[in-house]
CSV table of all heavy atoms in Angstrom, one decimal:
chain,number,residue,atom,x,y,z
T,152,ASP,N,7.6,-3.6,16.3
T,152,ASP,CA,7.4,-2.2,16.3
T,152,ASP,C,8.1,-1.4,17.3
T,152,ASP,O,8.6,-0.3,17.1
T,152,ASP,CB,5.9,-1.9,16.3
T,152,ASP,CG,5.1,-2.3,15.1
T,152,ASP,OD1,5.7,-2.0,14.0
T,152,ASP,OD2,4.0,-2.8,15.2
T,153,TRP,N,8.3,-1.9,18.6
T,153,TRP,CA,8.9,-1.2,19.6
T,153,TRP,C,10.4,-1.0,19.3
T,153,TRP,O,11.0,0.0,19.6
T,153,TRP,CB,8.7,-2.0,21.0
T,153,TRP,CG,9.4,-1.2,22.1
T,153,TRP,CD1,10.5,-1.7,22.8
T,153,TRP,CD2,9.1,0.0,22.6
T,153,TRP,NE1,10.8,-0.8,23.8
T,153,TRP,CE2,10.0,0.3,23.6
T,153,TRP,CE3,8.1,1.0,22.3
T,153,TRP,CZ2,10.0,1.5,24.4
T,153,TRP,CZ3,8.1,2.2,22.9
T,153,TRP,CH2,8.9,2.4,24.0
T,154,ALA,N,11.0,-1.9,18.6
T,154,ALA,CA,12.4,-1.9,18.2
T,154,ALA,C,12.7,-0.6,17.5
T,154,ALA,O,13.6,0.2,17.8
T,154,ALA,CB,12.9,-3.1,17.4
T,155,TRP,N,11.9,-0.2,16.4
T,155,TRP,CA,12.1,1.0,15.6
T,155,TRP,C,11.5,2.2,16.4
T,155,TRP,O,12.0,3.3,16.3
T,155,TRP,CB,11.7,0.9,14.3
T,155,TRP,CG,10.1,0.7,14.0
T,155,TRP,CD1,9.5,-0.5,13.8
T,155,TRP,CD2,9.2,1.7,13.9
T,155,TRP,NE1,8.2,-0.3,13.7
T,155,TRP,CE2,8.0,1.1,13.7
T,155,TRP,CE3,9.2,3.1,14.0
T,155,TRP,CZ2,6.7,1.7,13.6
T,155,TRP,CZ3,8.0,3.8,14.0
T,155,TRP,CH2,6.8,3.2,13.7
T,156,LEU,N,10.4,2.0,17.1
T,156,LEU,CA,9.8,3.2,17.8
T,156,LEU,C,10.7,3.7,18.8
T,156,LEU,O,10.8,4.9,19.0
T,156,LEU,CB,8.3,2.7,18.4
T,156,LEU,CG,7.7,3.8,19.0
T,156,LEU,CD1,7.4,5.1,18.2
T,156,LEU,CD2,6.3,3.3,19.7
T,157,ARG,N,11.2,2.9,19.6
T,157,ARG,CA,12.1,3.3,20.7
T,157,ARG,C,13.3,4.1,20.1
T,157,ARG,O,13.6,5.1,20.6
T,157,ARG,CB,12.7,2.0,21.4
T,157,ARG,CG,13.5,2.5,22.6
T,157,ARG,CD,14.1,1.3,23.4
T,157,ARG,NE,14.8,0.4,22.5
T,157,ARG,CZ,14.8,-0.9,22.6
T,157,ARG,NH1,14.1,-1.5,23.6
T,157,ARG,NH2,15.4,-1.7,21.8
T,158,ARG,N,13.9,3.6,19.0
T,158,ARG,CA,15.0,4.4,18.3
T,158,ARG,C,14.5,5.8,17.9
T,158,ARG,O,15.1,6.9,18.1
T,158,ARG,CB,15.5,3.7,17.1
T,158,ARG,CG,16.4,2.6,17.6
T,158,ARG,CD,17.2,2.0,16.4
T,158,ARG,NE,16.3,1.6,15.2
T,158,ARG,CZ,15.7,0.4,15.1
T,158,ARG,NH1,16.0,-0.5,16.0
T,158,ARG,NH2,15.0,0.2,14.1
T,159,SER,N,13.2,5.9,17.3
T,159,SER,CA,12.7,7.2,16.8
T,159,SER,C,12.4,8.1,18.0
T,159,SER,O,12.5,9.3,17.9
T,159,SER,CB,11.5,7.0,16.0
T,159,SER,OG,10.3,6.6,16.8
T,160,LEU,N,12.0,7.6,19.2
T,160,LEU,CA,11.6,8.3,20.3
T,160,LEU,C,13.0,9.0,21.0
T,160,LEU,O,12.9,10.0,21.4
T,160,LEU,CB,10.9,7.5,21.4
T,160,LEU,CG,9.5,7.2,21.0
T,160,LEU,CD1,8.9,6.2,22.1
T,160,LEU,CD2,8.5,8.4,21.0
T,161,LYS,N,14.0,8.2,20.9
T,161,LYS,CA,15.2,8.7,21.3
T,161,LYS,C,15.8,9.8,20.6
T,161,LYS,O,16.5,10.7,21.0
T,161,LYS,CB,16.3,7.5,21.5
T,161,LYS,CG,16.0,6.6,22.7
T,161,LYS,CD,17.0,5.5,22.8
T,161,LYS,CE,16.8,4.6,23.8
T,161,LYS,NZ,17.7,3.5,23.9
T,162,GLN,N,15.6,9.7,19.2
T,162,GLN,CA,16.1,10.7,18.3
T,162,GLN,C,15.4,12.1,18.4
T,162,GLN,O,15.9,13.1,18.0
T,162,GLN,CB,16.1,10.2,16.9
T,162,GLN,CG,16.9,9.1,16.6
T,162,GLN,CD,16.7,8.4,15.2
T,162,GLN,OE1,15.8,8.7,14.6
T,162,GLN,NE2,17.5,7.4,14.9
T,163,ARG,N,14.1,12.0,18.8
T,163,ARG,CA,13.3,13.2,18.8
T,163,ARG,C,13.3,13.8,20.2
T,163,ARG,O,13.4,13.1,21.2
T,163,ARG,CB,11.8,12.9,18.5
T,163,ARG,CG,11.6,12.2,17.2
T,163,ARG,CD,11.3,13.2,16.0
T,163,ARG,NE,10.6,14.3,16.2
T,163,ARG,CZ,9.5,14.5,15.6
T,163,ARG,NH1,9.0,13.6,14.6
T,163,ARG,NH2,8.8,15.6,15.8
T,164,SER,N,13.1,15.1,20.3
T,164,SER,CA,12.9,15.7,21.5
T,164,SER,C,11.6,15.4,22.1
T,164,SER,O,10.6,15.3,21.3
T,164,SER,CB,13.1,17.3,21.4
T,164,SER,OG,12.5,18.0,22.3
T,165,HIS,N,11.4,15.3,23.4
T,165,HIS,CA,10.0,15.1,24.0
T,165,HIS,C,9.4,16.5,24.3
T,165,HIS,O,8.5,16.6,25.1
T,165,HIS,CB,10.1,14.3,25.3
T,165,HIS,CG,10.6,12.8,24.9
T,165,HIS,ND1,9.8,12.1,24.0
T,165,HIS,CD2,11.6,12.2,25.4
T,165,HIS,CE1,10.4,10.9,24.1
T,165,HIS,NE2,11.4,10.8,24.8
T,166,SER,N,9.7,17.5,23.5
T,166,SER,CA,9.0,18.8,23.7
T,166,SER,C,7.7,18.8,23.2
T,166,SER,O,7.3,17.8,22.3
T,166,SER,CB,9.8,19.9,23.1
T,166,SER,OG,9.7,19.8,21.6
T,167,ARG,N,6.9,19.7,23.4
T,167,ARG,CA,5.5,19.7,22.9
T,167,ARG,C,5.4,20.3,21.5
T,167,ARG,O,4.4,20.7,21.0
T,167,ARG,CB,4.5,20.4,23.8
T,167,ARG,CG,4.3,19.6,25.1
T,167,ARG,CD,3.3,20.4,25.9
T,167,ARG,NE,2.9,19.7,27.1
T,167,ARG,CZ,1.9,18.9,27.2
T,167,ARG,NH1,1.0,18.7,26.4
T,167,ARG,NH2,1.7,18.2,28.4
Side-chain angles (χ1 to χ4, degrees):
D152 287 317
W153 181 245
W155 65 264
L156 178 60
R157 183 179 57 216
R158 284 192 305 273
S159 73
L160 290 169
K161 286 181 181 178
Q162 292 170 359
R163 304 271 315 243
S164 158
H165 290 304
S166 72
R167 291 188 177 255

